[in-house]
Every structure is written in structure tokens, then in C-alpha cells.
Amino acid sequence: MVRIEDVSTPARLAEPEEGIGPDELSLAARNHGLPLEGLRYDVTPPGMHYVLTHYDIPYVADDTAWELTVGGHVEHPLRLGMAELRALHPVTTRVTMECAGNGRALLSPRPVSQPWLLEAVGTADWTGVPLRALLDEAGVRDGAVDVVFTGADHGVERGVEQDYQRALPLDTALGHIPEVLVAYAMNGAALPPQHGRPLRLIVPGWYGMAHVKWLRDITVTEQPFTGFQQTAAYRFRQEPDEEGTPVTRIAPRALMIPPGFPDFMSRCRVVSPGHMLLEGRAWSGRGPIIAVDVSTDEGRTWGPAHLESPTVHRWAWRHWHVSWTATPGRHVLCARATDAEGRTQPLEQPWNRGGFANNLVQRVPVVCVEPD
């Protein structure tokens, strides 16, 4: 007898010298990152914003009567259609979102999963209804601890058949800073299918696994949520049988817009001698970015970059730049961000079995060539 467990393999680490396999290539073909030249946009166009989809993208036709239910440990369960949600006071928040597994493919040994390098990020203006407004209307009862969010995407993972579900602690769900949104628009237009049409959760400052797409149900619970994506996946572990600690907020990171032009295969950058501007973006879900430092000698020496002034967009990346005089030869450029909590990017990446929260300093190989 064939069981569902037979089609779903357990988590594993790549063997020494094992290359990217067909299963990882299949995931990489379905999902995509931000081309780093796209860091020039303050707000990422939807087609360039990173995408990670665990299962299938649900098909939601234009005439679908989508409903969002709010229930569980509440006084007044709700059932809201899209027109009712859009009639509520809208809020728009600019949020930088990053996949928790960004950088996973650079680890050794490599956790076998979506093989992200550095590009699993994007920034968008999300419009919707504050989650706390819906929970206030429903009336959260005393004793509630978690709020569980269920998406319409369904699949099997490590032998467990499931709808995609994640939970937030009640104080986060009801919080003002950050203010969690039930969003129906991205950059002023309806959500694209790959970004959760028609509804998704937006949790500023948290990694992407918390931003449940194709949202159809919100349930307030009296007990901590123990679903797969909460207690089996998205936890920091060194050994497979340990409980681990949860992945939550985004670690600080700076990325550089690659200068010059690239080689097709290696992506090594080619520049000409002379003065040029190095620039990029920096963000953190823990505290505001307070500094970005840049190295042009592979991290041996560092100097401060100019960081743009703070804006009203607390949860979005900030632009930085620095001048550099390129000289003929090979160079490795690096950028490193520090946030207000004193967290900075490591030069040597700590390792965990899931490959989460990898914010190793970026290294950009550059060849400066003399003109013919």
C-alpha cells in the first residue's frame, strides 16, 4: 500500500561535495528572487519581488466570492466578504519582506531545500485592514494566547498533509508597532496571484513565512499553536530531534547593487578604472538601521557609507551609498549593516539545520579592466 509519507521525503543535509539536485532545481524554477539591480527601486515592482510558494498557487477567478472567517476564542465570530473588508478604513504600509531561508545555498553543509543565494527579498506598499481592528470587532476573550492564520494552499511536507498555517502571539497580532495587516492590494493594485490574491497577511519586521498568503481563516486559540509550520518547520536547530527556537524577526542585512556589468555565467562584475558610486539597501526587522559599512578589499578594512535619512517607512529598507575609485585588478566588495539593537552582520555565518536567518556579509567579485 502506498502512503502519503512515501511521496514526501524527510529534511536532510546535502552530502559533502553534493551539487544542487533536480528537486532543488524544481523549487528554484517555481520560486524566484529579486535581481539585485532591482535594488534601485524604492518600491519593488511585483514581478521582481521575491516569491516563495510552498505548494500550488490557488486559482481565484475574478468572480470568486472569497470570504474571510474570524473565529475561535472570540465573542462574535465574523464572516467577511471582500467588499466588506474594502469598506473598512484602509491602511498602507511599506514593508521589506525577506525569506527566512535567504542565503541557505551558501551554507556548508547545505540544508536541502529552496536554494536561495541572496536575492529572496523585496519591498512593497501593502494596503489592507489592520488585523487588530478585526480582532477588536470579533472581541477576543480572556485566556487567548495565539492567533492562527490559514491559507488556501494545500500540500504535503515531510509526510504531513496540511493547509499552510502559521500563528502569531496575541500581543503581536493586536500590536500597533508593528501593525499587522490583512492586505488586499500591493503597490496600489489588487494582489497578484503569486502574492496571495485576494488576501494575505503582512507582518512588518518578520520573515516571510509569517505573511500567510491566500488567507481564508483567522482563529484565536486558548493554547499555543503546534501546527507543522510552527513547531516542525521554521525553527533554529543544530540537531534534528531538538525542539529549537522559533524563527521570527529579520536579522540586519545590507545588499549592494552590483556595479558595472556582469559576465553571463559567473555574474562577476566588470568595471572601468575611476570614480564610481557604490550603493544599495539595508534593513532589519529588529531595530532601525543605524550604519552601513563598506569594504573594497574583501573585509580587511571598512569605511562608513552615507545612509539616507530616516523616513516614515520604518519597516522598509534604507538606501546607502559611498564613493569608490576603482583601480585595475580584482577586487571583492562587501557591505555590512548594523541596527539600533547593536546587531550587525557576521563575517562567518553561524549554521543551523534549516538554513534560516543567514545574514552573512555579501561579497561582490569585481574585475577592473583597462580600456583597450
Side-chain angles (χ1 to χ4, degrees), residues 7-331:
V7 302
S8 183
T9 58
R12 71 179 185 90
L13 302 177
E15 297 294 333
E17 309 302 324
E18 178 184 350
I20 300 292
D23 50 355
E24 291 174 289
L25 286 176
S26 177
L27 286 174
R30 286 188 51 80
N31 303 302
H32 69 81
L34 168 74
L36 291 184
E37 60 270 27
L39 290 166
R40 292 187 173 90
Y41 294 92
D42 289 335
V43 175
T44 309
M48 297 178 77
H49 194 291
Y50 99 90
V51 170
L52 176 71
T53 303
H54 276 250
Y55 310 126
D56 284 351
I57 298 172
Y59 173 66
V60 182
D62 291 341
D63 58 353
T64 299
W66 193 271
E67 285 190 329
L68 175 68
T69 56
V70 182
H73 198 59
V74 299
E75 299 288 349
H76 312 289
L78 306 177
R79 187 176 294 273
L80 302 165
M82 292 302 300
E84 293 170 282
L85 288 167
R86 291 193 182 97
L88 299 173
H89 178 69
V91 171
T92 298
T93 305
R94 185 168 297 177
V95 175
T96 294
M97 189 186 304
E98 183 178 9
C99 183
N102 201 11
R104 176 186 290 122
L106 302 175
L107 294 180
S108 181
R110 186 183 77 253
V112 176
S113 185
Q114 168 65 31
W116 292 123
L117 294 172
L118 298 172
E119 299 87 352
V121 66
T123 295
D125 287 336
W126 304 97
T127 301
V129 180
L131 172 63
R132 59 185 169 82
L134 300 181
L135 294 176
D136 287 346
E137 184 177 347
V140 176
R141 297 169 62 186
D142 291 342
V145 295
D146 273 357
V147 183
V148 181
F149 306 91
T150 303
D153 46 331
H154 184 87
V156 59
E157 198 163 344
R158 300 188 217 167
V160 179
E161 185 178 356
Q162 59 191 280
D163 294 331
Y164 188 87
Q165 290 183 304
R166 282 282 305 184
L168 292 173
L170 183 64
D171 59 349
T172 301
L174 291 173
H176 288 72
I177 303 175
E179 184 174 57
V180 181
L181 292 184
V182 174
Y184 47 75
M186 178 185 189
N187 296 354
L191 293 176
Q194 71 273 28
H195 288 291
R197 177 185 179 180
L199 280 180
R200 73 172 301 166
L201 201 67
I202 297 295
V203 190
W206 284 55
Y207 280 112
M209 77 284 158
H211 304 239
V212 177
K213 294 183 281 189
W214 311 290
L215 182 64
R216 59 180 177 82
D217 182 74
I218 299 171
T219 303
V220 179
T221 65
E222 299 176 81
Q223 301 295 328
F225 177 61
T226 58
F228 179 90
Q229 302 295 341
Q230 202 84 13
T231 58
Y234 295 108
R235 299 185 75 85
F236 295 111
R237 295 184 176 94
Q238 297 297 310
E239 300 295 337
D241 56 350
E242 66 179 284
E243 180 181 356
T245 58
V247 177
T248 57
R249 291 182 177 271
I250 298 172
R253 187 193 290 276
L255 287 181
M256 182 182 298
I257 299 169
F261 58 88
D263 172 71
F264 173 70
M265 284 298 297
S266 71
R267 309 309 294 178
C268 182
R269 310 302 296 190
V270 180
V271 301
S272 298
H275 296 288
M276 68 184 61
L277 195 68
L278 303 179
E279 58 181 326
R281 306 280 177 171
W283 63 93
S284 174
R286 295 284 183 177
I289 293 295
I290 60 170
V292 173
D293 295 299
V294 173
S295 171
T296 58
D297 56 11
E298 201 169 2
R300 289 187 290 275
T301 61
W302 295 85
H306 175 78
L307 189 63
E308 74 170 353
S309 299
T311 70
V312 297
H313 304 298
R314 159 65 184 88
W315 304 105
W317 53 29
R318 291 173 67 184
H319 183 266
W320 58 266
H321 70 267
V322 67
S323 179
W324 177 49
T325 301
T327 57
R330 295 183 179 272
H331 308 271

